[in-house]
Amino acid sequence: MRYLMLFTLGFAGACTACAYLLWTFPAGAVAALALAFALWLPGRTHRRCKAASRILLGVGMGFLWFSLFGESYLKPVGQLEEKTHSTAVILTDYSREENHGSSAAGILRWEGKPYGVRIYLKENLNLKPGDSVRGEFSFRVTAAKSGKFGHYYAGKGIFLTGYQKGELVTRSVTKSPWWTAPARMRLQIQNRIDDLFPADTAAFARALVLGDSGVLDYGTASDLSVSGIRHMVAVSGLHVSILCALLALLIGRRRWLTCILGLPLLAMFCAVTGFTPSVTRASIMMGLMMIAGAIDREYDPLTELSAAVLVMTVLNPMVVTSVSFQLSAASVLGILLFYGKVRAWLMARFRTYKGIRGKAVKWFCTSAAISLSTLVFVTPISAYYFCSISLIAPLTNLLTVWAVVYIFWGILGVLLLGLFFRAGAGILAYGVSWLIRYVLGIAGILARIPLAAVYTQSLPVVIWLVSVYILGILFLGGRRKRPQWLLGLGTLGLAIALGISWLLPLRDHARMTVLDVGQGQCILLQSGGRSFLVDCGGDWDEKAADLAAKTLLSQGIHRLDGLILTHFDRDHVGGAPGLLHRVDAQRIYLPAGEALPADHRITVVEHSANLTFGDASITIYGGGPAAVSNENSLCVLFDTGDYDILITGDRSAYGERLLMRTYPLPKVSCLVAGHHGAKDSTCQELLNAVQPDTVIISAGRDNPYGHPAGETLFRLRQFGCRVLRTDRDGTILIRR
């Protein structure tokens, strides 16, 4: 019996409960340890009693360890939550550009303890590891945030985010400290790849080797995600396996030599890639396998997985909240539990071939079994965090994983050859680039197949997914296993779920969906089977494009009737190009006053435009050719007959008064507050003119502008209307 696995199961489970509930359970630790001791007492020799005692021992130790971690490490830094404090931060990586300035990872000391922090600066500064910045920051404690991505940073060892408030003093080091070597090496690799690889493949090469997927354009990242191979550019256990396979190929089966060379190689790879949870987990397991081989001991993958999880959880109990950690552990667990059975079943379905055909059958069965077994536990995690399920993933993996192995080896060869023979490295990079284009081409083709992915924004799809797993459990527990029945019922259920998802919006006379894109705006207007999107921008361009695309595709909408962009600020239009990569638009409505690309779909609105469909209509009010900046925002009136909605873009009080003087505005039921609730928008005159019952504010959590402003909220309270906010209420849906 694998005692370490049972202990780790309890330990990690207890840490997970504490991390997500944001609470410690010292009393629970005592109770679990006492019950474990009771089950361990002499006379209780039943295997189930022993197994339960190990699990409860892990639970008790997990509660106890997290309580100690919380009291000694998390509690002191909790004093900084939502407070402004003057401090110095030493950078551990290079700064990077953001939509509104720059950000950098670093270390600050608080009460004598070091804490990982990511600071957000108002200016785009070029800082390097070892540099320090001093100034006033408003801090947020990442471990104190709940929700899907509340623990994103805490799982990576970053326990604070700081937002610059005052002046900043920077100090640049002349000689970089030794501990900055991995970050400097990572930058050198990035620069060398950019120098040697063609422009259309360099980003993929960087992402594959370093996990730097942020350099991928949205279209490429979207294709990889929809086709189910986004994990290839998020450095993980796959990359560690490929690296170690190359080492074994070069030195053969010399176990001691493999261990002597492999352990430092794994440590260096972890450091260069930033000690991401998935790489760390894979490296620990691979290191244990090397050590076991060197000392001629049996290697048990489940025990080594348990050891890796236990080590990482002890070092940082919050790692259990990391999405990459969860996906990494889940994929390996699926392979260890199901790969052998799935491969055996597939092999039994084919006739026994010899020669090339036999090797092809074995390769197919092995690849398919790995892909399918990986998805068993990864699918629900992906559905929860990313709201999507790639149905085409098994096929994509089958067609591309073999190529990724050679691409990875090829990139390493380019980097090594480039040290002393640049021309040869360039030739090799040219050849590797064709393999990269093959992978990107396959991903692009398969991602465009209808129903390549389904999206869990739809409740029927969620119900279908839960039903499939229930059927799967019943299938595994049954005596007569008929996979064709499971496949048939799953396919039928999916067809029903998709049909309901596509038909439900058509039942409403009209609906408005204000998407929670953070600090930006993206609003979907629908009536009579027609769909218009007003703006597409937010905290990140990719986030806005992804959320809008998934919302539309989950309803079976592959083509918008119109995309209305109120003005050209990035938080309103940044996601539009990415959205149009996935969902086409019949017409694009833009304000006057900007140089526009040649596109037959574009309509410039200088004065007004009226779009009528069924019993509803959309009126677009222009800002006029002389208007500039936010005052040039197009305004949209959505008239559904008994419920009118007005959207004013980023107009200030001046622009709102200009709108009222230029066009006759009716009384409306709902008003989308201008400029995300800024204090100089949604003026009293506009409220008096349109008399809204409900005001919706689209703003981001912890945004640097203080939106919505207190003055605006006070004005709305005094007016007596109901206020809904995306930063507090999430995505807002109004149905009529």
Side-chain angles (χ1 to χ4, degrees):
M1 186 176 290
R2 298 180 174 97
Y3 294 136
L4 181 61
M5 182 185 70
L6 297 174
F7 178 85
T8 302
L9 180 65
F11 189 92
C15 289
T16 301
C18 293
Y20 278 102
L21 296 176
L22 305 177
W23 201 255
T24 57
F25 299 94
V30 174
L33 291 174
L35 188 55
F37 178 74
L39 291 174
W40 177 80
L41 286 175
R44 299 184 180 273
T45 58
H46 196 280
R47 292 186 63 187
R48 291 183 179 178
C49 289
K50 290 184 176 181
S53 68
R54 264 72 176 187
I55 294 175
L56 287 169
L57 178 63
V59 170
M61 294 302 295
F63 281 149
L64 183 61
W65 181 249
F66 199 98
S67 298
L68 293 173
F69 180 79
E71 287 295 319
S72 64
Y73 195 74
L74 295 182
K75 188 175 181 179
V77 79
Q79 303 170 21
L80 294 175
E81 173 67 14
E82 296 187 353
K83 292 183 180 178
T84 300
H85 184 74
S86 179
T87 188
V89 177
I90 300 176
L91 271 61
T92 57
D93 203 350
Y94 293 89
S95 60
R96 68 186 187 194
E97 184 179 357
E98 301 283 354
N99 281 359
H100 310 288
S102 57
S103 70
I107 296 289
L108 68 78
R109 299 192 70 85
W110 180 255
E111 295 190 0
K113 299 182 180 69
Y115 291 92
V117 61
R118 176 162 286 279
I119 53 175
Y120 292 86
L121 311 176
K122 296 179 180 179
E123 301 178 11
N124 185 17
L125 302 178
N126 292 319
L127 303 171
K128 63 181 183 298
D131 291 351
S132 63
V133 295
R134 176 176 287 278
E136 286 194 344
F137 295 91
S138 174
F139 287 104
R140 303 289 186 273
V141 180
T142 59
K145 303 296 181 183
S146 59
K148 279 188 182 181
F149 296 100
H151 300 300
Y152 170 76
Y153 284 127
K156 299 170 63 177
I158 297 176
F159 295 98
L160 287 168
T161 54
Y163 302 86
Q164 180 187 348
K165 291 300 181 182
E167 294 296 322
L168 201 68
V169 178
T170 63
R171 184 178 68 85
S172 180
V173 294
T174 55
K175 184 178 180 181
S176 298
W178 64 269
W179 51 265
T180 65
R184 289 184 280 114
M185 184 181 298
R186 181 163 59 249
L187 180 64
Q188 292 173 359
I189 293 173
Q190 292 173 358
N191 293 337
R192 184 152 298 175
I193 289 175
D194 289 340
D195 182 45
L196 294 172
F197 280 81
D200 63 323
T201 61
F204 183 88
R206 281 178 56 178
L208 183 66
V209 172
L210 300 172
D212 189 11
S213 57
V215 299
L216 296 172
D217 63 87
Y218 176 78
T220 300
S222 173
D223 289 345
L224 295 173
S225 179
V226 173
S227 62
I229 56 172
R230 181 65 184 267
H231 62 280
M232 291 182 180
V233 292
V235 175
S236 61
L238 172 66
H239 303 73
V240 174
S241 300
I242 296 173
L243 184 65
C244 292
L246 177 61
L247 178 65
L249 184 67
L250 294 175
I251 65 176
R253 296 186 178 183
R254 299 177 179 87
R255 295 181 178 181
W256 272 105
L257 185 58
T258 299
C259 187
I260 292 171
L261 297 179
L263 293 179
L265 180 64
L266 290 172
M268 183 182 70
F269 188 64
C270 278
V272 170
T273 55
F275 288 101
T276 60
S278 57
V279 172
T280 303
R281 189 277 310 158
S283 297
I284 293 174
M285 288 188 67
M286 192 63 68
L288 291 173
M289 185 179 72
M290 291 178 179
I291 294 173
I295 62 177
D296 200 23
R297 295 292 297 271
E298 182 182 357
Y299 174 76
D300 179 56
L302 273 174
T303 300
E304 307 313 328
L305 173 62
S306 302
V309 170
L310 184 61
V311 169
M312 295 177 67
T313 311
V314 168
L315 293 176
N316 176 17
M318 292 297 296
V319 76
V320 294
T321 65
S322 166
V323 181
S324 66
F325 174 80
Q326 294 175 13
L327 290 172
S328 178
S331 63
V332 174
L333 185 61
I335 291 173
L336 296 180
L337 293 180
F338 298 104
Y339 163 73
K341 296 178 181 178
V342 174
R343 184 179 183 277
W345 183 84
L346 288 173
M347 290 290 292
R349 304 279 79 78
F350 294 92
R351 292 169 53 191
T352 303
Y353 293 107
K354 296 182 179 180
I356 296 178
R357 286 191 298 178
K359 292 181 179 178
V361 166
K362 288 182 180 179
W363 169 81
F364 168 79
C365 293
T366 299
S367 300
I370 291 175
S371 179
L372 292 172
S373 57
T374 297
L375 294 174
V376 172
F377 298 120
V378 165
T379 297
I381 298 174
S382 298
Y384 176 72
Y385 285 108
F386 308 116
C387 299
S388 66
I389 305 167
S390 176
L391 302 179
I392 204 76
L395 176 60
T396 318
N397 279 271
L398 194 66
L399 295 175
T400 58
V401 169
W402 67 269
V404 170
V405 174
Y406 294 107
I407 291 171
F408 191 85
W409 290 354
I411 296 172
L412 295 181
V414 168
L415 295 173
L416 293 174
L417 192 59
L419 294 175
F420 54 87
F421 186 28
R422 188 186 183 284
I427 295 172
L428 180 57
Y430 179 80
V432 173
S433 292
W434 283 106
L435 269 180
I436 295 176
R437 294 185 184 108
Y438 163 78
V439 171
L440 295 178
I442 291 293
I445 292 171
L446 296 183
R448 284 161 181 75
I449 294 177
L451 298 181
V454 294
Y455 305 97
T456 54
Q457 271 93 346
S458 167
L459 180 59
V461 171
V462 176
I463 295 173
W464 164 78
L465 182 62
V466 173
S467 301
V468 166
Y469 273 83
I470 293 175
L471 288 173
I473 293 172
L474 295 175
F475 168 79
L476 292 175
R479 293 183 178 180
R480 300 184 63 183
K481 294 179 172 56
R482 296 181 177 178
Q484 60 270 24
W485 282 96
L486 180 63
L487 180 61
L489 289 173
T491 303
L492 177 62
L494 178 60
I496 295 173
L498 292 175
I500 295 173
S501 301
W502 298 349
L503 291 174
L504 275 178
L506 300 178
R507 295 183 58 192
D508 297 327
H509 170 62
R511 57 163 52 192
M512 176 178 72
T513 308
V514 182
L515 300 178
D516 179 16
V517 291
Q519 185 61 19
Q521 181 169 282
C522 187
I523 303 172
L524 177 61
L525 307 176
Q526 296 173 281
S527 180
R530 305 284 293 276
S531 302
F532 292 82
L533 194 70
V534 180
D535 289 336
C536 186
D539 286 335
W540 299 284
D541 299 343
E542 296 79 7
K543 173 184 175 181
D546 210 44
L547 182 56
K550 290 176 179 177
T551 300
L552 293 167
L553 293 171
S554 68
Q555 300 179 21
I557 301 170
H558 294 81
R559 182 181 176 88
L560 283 165
D561 294 282
L563 173 61
I564 305 168
L565 301 177
T566 59
H567 62 297
F568 296 100
D569 283 0
R570 191 168 181 176
D571 60 343
H572 287 254
V573 303
L579 171 66
L580 293 174
H581 177 81
R582 300 178 65 178
V583 179
D584 195 11
Q586 184 175 341
R587 302 298 302 173
I588 302 174
Y589 299 91
L590 302 175
E594 293 281 345
L596 303 175
D599 192 324
H600 69 280
R601 299 174 296 177
I602 291 178
T603 297
V604 176
V605 181
E606 291 191 8
H607 302 292
S608 66
N610 188 264
L611 313 172
T612 302
F613 44 98
D615 297 330
S617 67
I618 289 179
T619 303
I620 306 175
Y621 300 116
V628 295
S629 189
N630 291 342
E631 312 311 333
N632 193 33
S633 294
L634 298 179
C635 298
V636 178
L637 177 66
F638 185 35
D639 182 357
T640 68
D642 61 346
Y643 197 92
D644 294 347
I645 299 166
L646 179 64
I647 304 168
T648 59
D650 271 1
R651 291 199 182 201
S652 67
Y654 168 80
E656 292 168 349
R657 296 187 186 104
L658 180 64
L659 174 68
M660 290 184 285
R661 287 198 300 266
T662 308
Y663 304 103
L665 297 180
K667 292 184 178 180
V668 301
S669 301
C670 179
L671 171 68
V672 178
H675 205 175
H676 320 290
K679 65 180 180 180
D680 58 348
S681 295
T682 318
C683 64
Q684 190 65 48
E685 293 91 332
L686 179 65
L687 293 173
N688 293 336
V690 299
Q691 296 285 311
D693 299 318
T694 302
V695 173
I696 297 177
I697 301 174
S698 180
R701 301 166 183 82
D702 299 329
N703 68 81
Y705 309 103
H707 294 160
E711 296 90 332
T712 301
L713 295 175
F714 177 78
R715 192 157 55 243
L716 296 176
R717 284 196 300 268
Q718 290 294 103
F719 189 77
C721 55
R722 182 175 65 144
V723 177
L724 300 174
R725 299 163 44 177
T726 58
D727 63 331
R728 185 183 60 192
D729 304 312
T731 292
I732 298 166
L733 172 63
I734 293 180
R735 303 168 58 190
R736 305 301 298 174

